[in-house]
Amino acid sequence: MPVKLEVLQTVARTLPSIGETAKPALARRWYATHTTSGRDGKPTRRAISITSDDGRYAWSELSRGEKAARTTQQSFNFVFVTAGAIGTICVGYLLYQELFAADSKTVQFNRAVDRIKADPRCREMLGPSNKMVFHGEPTTSKWARSRPLAHSLEVDRFGTTHFRMHFYAEGTEARGTVNIHMTKKSDATELQYRLLSVSVPGKETIYLENADAKSPKTKVAKMFGVQWK
């Protein structure tokens, strides 16, 4: 029994020394695997390319061809990032113009719809507001919201912006057409209503806004049967 104990103790003392002896061999194997040797026996690294350059080597360590590869890679990355940034800005601008700008057709459509639903005359003519449906021009799509809104935006010779749009309103009682005309002078910041009306065939048109009817008529002077303005 004492002999076996001495043998175990000897083995225990030998194992650490075996591990220490194996470490240099393992290191040499890893070094030989990850490096190559030139004709002069000195270790050389693997050449980098456009796809394999990960930036681990300094610029001064690169050959002329490797510098060209890194320059090409970085130029491509710069162009890619710049194109992405420009695309993001364009998409953001289009979304703003479509959904949030004061002269956006979507904004004016939603405002007009809210006013029509809130008007008692429109509810009496079309039906309950919660049953009203508003949409643009008829298309082959079965979804009313996907129908395009007919609108135009132009500036006259005085610098006044004219926004015109029409769409359709359907209720439980009738179906009609909504007409909008808004203007914005060159020194103004928001569109102002000139006309907002709901027309149903066979019924009197309802005017929610009618600036032309509110404007006073200019008196015309008349002399010798001729009108003088």
Side-chain angles (χ1 to χ4, degrees):
M1 184 64 67
V3 175
K4 292 184 178 180
L5 181 60
E6 292 178 358
V7 172
L8 292 176
Q9 292 176 348
T10 303
V11 172
R13 288 193 300 269
T14 307
L15 286 177
S17 62
I18 293 174
E20 294 297 329
T21 304
K23 286 182 180 179
L26 293 174
R28 287 194 297 271
R29 181 178 298 177
W30 182 91
Y31 188 79
T33 304
H34 291 77
T35 60
T36 58
S37 298
R39 295 181 178 179
D40 55 359
K42 295 182 180 180
T44 58
R45 58 176 174 78
R46 185 177 178 181
I48 66 171
S49 62
I50 296 176
T51 56
S52 65
D53 184 17
D54 55 5
R56 72 173 63 183
Y57 301 115
W59 180 262
S60 59
E61 300 179 40
L62 303 181
S63 65
R64 181 177 299 178
E66 290 173 334
K67 290 180 179 179
R70 175 170 292 182
T71 302
T72 302
Q73 182 195 66
Q74 293 180 350
S75 299
F76 174 80
N77 292 339
F78 175 78
V79 172
F80 183 78
V81 172
T82 303
I86 294 174
T88 301
I89 294 173
C90 292
V91 171
Y93 176 77
L94 292 176
L95 287 176
Y96 171 79
Q97 290 294 325
E98 181 68 22
L99 301 177
F100 304 107
D103 54 356
S104 164
K105 65 178 186 296
T106 303
V107 171
Q108 299 305 332
F109 171 81
N110 291 332
R111 289 179 180 176
V113 167
D114 291 339
R115 292 195 57 177
I116 293 171
K117 287 183 175 181
D119 191 273
R121 297 171 299 169
C122 295
R123 293 198 299 268
E124 181 180 357
M125 184 170 61
L126 298 175
S129 58
N130 60 347
K131 300 294 183 180
M132 294 181 187
V133 178
F134 301 86
H135 59 82
E137 298 301 313
T139 63
T140 56
S141 175
K142 64 179 180 180
W143 300 103
R145 287 184 177 273
S146 65
R147 299 176 183 177
L149 297 171
H151 73 290
S152 64
L153 190 67
E154 58 184 12
V155 180
D156 63 20
R157 60 191 181 90
F158 300 106
T160 302
T161 301
H162 293 264
F163 175 85
R164 294 180 174 87
M165 179 171 63
H166 75 268
F167 54 90
Y168 303 98
E170 295 183 13
T172 57
E173 302 297 327
R175 178 181 185 273
T177 303
V178 180
N179 290 287
I180 296 175
H181 178 202
M182 306 181 75
T183 59
K184 182 177 67 174
K185 294 183 178 181
S186 57
D187 57 348
T189 57
E190 294 184 359
L191 291 166
Q192 301 294 330
Y193 276 107
R194 298 293 302 176
L195 174 69
L196 174 58
S197 65
V198 182
S199 302
V200 173
K203 297 184 178 182
E204 185 177 356
T205 299
I206 296 176
Y207 292 95
L208 285 78
E209 295 284 351
N210 191 2
D212 294 335
K214 296 178 182 178
S215 59
K217 295 182 179 180
T218 303
K219 294 184 179 180
V220 179
K222 190 173 183 181
M223 183 181 296
F224 303 115
V226 180
Q227 291 184 348
W228 300 85
K229 296 185 179 180

